[in-house]
Amino acid sequence: HVQLVESGGDSVQAGGSLRLSCTSDSLTYSSNCTAWFRQVPGKEREGVAHMSMGGDYIAYANSVKGRFTISRDRAKDTLYLQMNGPKPEDSSYYYCAATRVMVGAPFDPRTYTYWGQRIQVTVSS
């Protein structure tokens, strides 16, 4: 049973920075396409950042482009989302996701097989 575990969520002031991490004891990120999503209760899950299996294709939602960075540490087998200059509208529950085979669009939640349990990020103004 594959489990993804997020950490690093917290409350942060607008303009600060925060780094989310996602680890797994049974999944190798370099063998998977990975992504970060977020969801506010009552709204649809929104794709934030995507990285291809080889790491050569990265995509961001327009709302976070230039502020957030998705990355992977092969040695630690950890996926990251660096959030610089967060805004109050970035407050949400964040999920990491992974799939071995891309059968859909990078920001379609149905594309991903494995999900983290979610972690809360609150950005205060």
Side-chain angles (χ1 to χ4, degrees):
H1 177 64
V2 174
Q3 278 191 309
L4 306 184
V5 180
E6 297 103 339
S7 61
D10 205 346
S11 296
V12 63
Q13 280 202 318
S17 65
L18 195 66
R19 188 176 76 168
L20 305 183
S21 301
C22 183
T23 59
S24 174
D25 59 0
S26 54
L27 182 144
T28 301
Y29 288 117
S30 59
S31 298
N32 285 266
C33 299
T34 53
W36 288 93
F37 284 78
R38 65 187 182 187
Q39 187 172 26
V40 174
K43 292 191 174 182
E44 289 189 356
R45 195 166 296 186
E46 171 192 22
V48 174
H50 164 88
M51 177 180 282
S52 65
M53 186 180 300
D56 54 338
Y57 175 73
I58 292 176
Y60 295 98
N62 288 334
S63 58
V64 306
K65 202 172 292 183
R67 300 186 297 118
F68 291 10
T69 302
I70 186 172
S71 64
R72 240 171 16 204
D73 185 321
R74 284 179 174 263
K76 297 180 180 179
D77 208 11
T78 301
L79 180 71
Y80 298 104
L81 183 69
Q82 179 68 42
M83 304 170 62
N84 292 333
K87 304 175 182 179
E89 51 263 43
D90 295 319
S91 297
S92 188
Y93 288 98
Y94 282 75
Y95 299 81
C96 56
T99 183
R100 289 188 61 86
V101 179
M102 286 291 291
V103 296
F107 290 151
D108 184 343
R110 296 171 296 180
T111 298
Y112 298 89
T113 306
Y114 309 111
W115 290 88
Q117 82 286 357
R118 80 179 188 178
I119 196 163
Q120 188 170 11
V121 172
T122 303
V123 184
S124 58
S125 57

